[in-house]
Amino acid sequence: MHPTAKHEDADLATAPPPADEPPRHPFLVTLGERVRTLRSRRGMTRKAVAVAADVSERHLANLEYGTGNASVLVLLQVAQALQCSLTELLGDVTTSSPEWLLIRELLENRNEADLRRARVAIGSLLGGGAAAGGDAGRSARIALIGLRGAGKSTLGQRLADDLGYAFIELSREIEKFAGCSINEIHALYGTPAYRRYERRALEEAIQIYPEVVIATPGGLVSDAANFNLLLSHCTTIWLQADPADHMGRVAAQGDMRPMAASREAMEDLKRILAGRSAFYSKADLHFNTSAYRLDDAFDALRTQVREVLGIS
């Protein structure tokens, strides 16, 4: 996740329009909402996207608010900064071939359960291994997903020790591959390079360890390819927590960045969580750590995991 920063116009995108302002065009409003959602899902501040897209932060704020009548070139720059296609930014990723259009028609208006079955079937057909039996070692690889501060490292290490499994903190493996810190990877090489290191680290963990507990970075779900790889080869557990607990735990670890602008930081965290929750919810198990003290949380999580693994 990019460090949280103060925003000069943090609430522009959600503030009600002035009474004398002319109605905003519905397309521009929808476009702004989509930009905001993609930015939150990737955990990027508005300033970070503006820098990456080489546009002013004010211009990007206007775009998110629905008043920015942006040129196609600016939209292309924003799409590149958000690591998505222009068609995805505009709301349609299924226009590239007749087969895409036929697949889209089959999936249109299906509920989440039907779409999940379709995804698993396609993954199995194309070698993704997501279907039962597709990867015989999937159940013994436990991957913890969720925002920073959910307890992935603390509970993951204890769970690995209890099961006699290896424990991997994927962020540390990414740093080993890159030879520098996560923040330096983003600053020096950008998000595309970070995602490549993330995939290499994940692929190596899957290949080397038949029995492992993996604590994943909070933003891994933002990359569809890496998240598909994780879902295909690991039993995934979404460690949830209340926003206040996320913030408090990170601060307790000695990282005061989230508290630099507490109101803006909390709103950013809530937006990121809202943008990623639909992806986190694809996990095999959901476990809310806010409902327990640490020891009780571990005992409850241990029980659920052992049930899934079929061991007492």
Side-chain angles (χ1 to χ4, degrees):
M1 181 188 306
H2 286 255
T4 303
K6 290 184 179 180
H7 305 296
E8 294 179 358
D9 43 10
D11 297 322
L12 259 179
T14 55
D20 58 348
E21 179 181 298
R24 292 177 290 169
H25 193 286
F27 175 79
L28 293 178
V29 172
T30 302
L31 175 63
E33 290 173 351
R34 191 172 295 113
V35 171
R36 205 160 57 244
T37 297
L38 288 167
R39 177 170 65 79
S40 296
R41 187 178 299 160
R42 284 154 177 75
M44 299 177 71
T45 63
R46 186 183 296 148
K47 181 177 182 179
V49 175
V51 170
D54 195 26
V55 299
S56 73
E57 192 171 352
R58 171 64 65 175
H59 193 98
L60 183 59
N62 288 339
L63 178 60
E64 290 189 359
Y65 180 50
T67 60
N69 189 6
S71 70
V72 173
L73 180 59
V74 168
L75 291 180
L76 179 61
Q77 290 169 219
V78 171
Q80 290 171 339
L82 291 171
Q83 291 299 297
C84 68
S85 66
L86 184 57
T87 52
E88 182 179 0
L89 188 68
L90 295 176
D92 188 357
V93 299
T94 59
T95 59
S96 58
S97 75
E99 291 295 342
W100 257 122
L101 293 171
L102 292 170
I103 292 170
R104 183 180 68 178
E105 193 279 330
L106 289 173
L107 298 178
E108 196 168 6
N109 298 321
R110 302 285 183 175
N111 59 36
E112 282 293 304
D114 286 342
L115 291 173
R116 182 184 186 280
R117 283 194 292 271
R119 173 178 60 80
V120 170
I122 291 171
S124 179
L125 177 66
L126 300 179
D135 182 349
R138 181 177 181 271
S139 64
R141 299 189 197 95
I142 309 295
L144 306 179
I145 65 175
L147 285 184
R148 192 165 169 224
K152 292 174 295 184
S153 297
T154 302
L155 291 174
Q157 182 68 71
R158 293 183 64 167
L159 186 62
D161 292 342
D162 178 77
L163 295 171
Y165 288 5
F167 174 69
I168 289 179
E169 198 157 4
L170 203 63
S171 292
R172 304 290 78 81
E173 301 305 309
I174 293 169
E175 290 178 335
K176 289 178 184 177
F177 273 116
C180 58
S181 71
I182 298 294
N183 287 342
E184 288 172 330
I185 297 172
H186 282 292
L188 295 173
Y189 310 116
T191 300
Y194 171 80
R195 293 301 177 199
R196 289 195 296 272
Y197 286 125
E198 182 179 67
R199 186 171 185 86
R200 286 179 60 191
L202 181 57
E203 287 174 335
E204 182 172 280
I206 291 169
Q207 182 178 8
I208 292 177
Y209 299 100
E211 297 178 336
V212 64
V213 177
I214 305 172
T216 67
L220 184 144
V221 300
S222 300
D223 185 275
N226 291 350
F227 192 35
N228 258 329
L229 183 67
L230 191 78
L231 291 172
S232 298
H233 295 282
C234 301
T235 297
T236 50
I237 304 173
W238 177 16
L239 293 188
Q240 301 167 271
D242 298 334
D245 284 336
H246 278 294
M247 195 74 71
R249 291 168 185 173
V250 172
Q253 294 168 5
D255 187 347
M256 299 307 294
R257 288 175 303 170
M259 308 310 292
S262 58
R263 179 171 175 269
E264 290 87 351
M266 181 60 77
E267 290 305 311
D268 279 344
L269 187 148
K270 289 178 179 177
R271 280 194 290 268
I272 291 169
L273 184 58
R276 292 178 181 169
S277 288
F279 293 86
Y280 288 144
S281 68
K282 301 303 176 187
D284 299 292
L285 295 174
H286 301 175
F287 186 82
N288 192 332
T289 61
S290 289
Y292 305 90
R293 295 177 181 271
L294 177 59
D295 288 342
D296 294 334
F298 170 67
D299 289 340
L301 179 61
R302 176 182 183 272
T303 298
Q304 290 190 25
V305 170
R306 283 179 169 268
E307 286 178 359
V308 170
L309 296 178
I311 57 179
S312 57

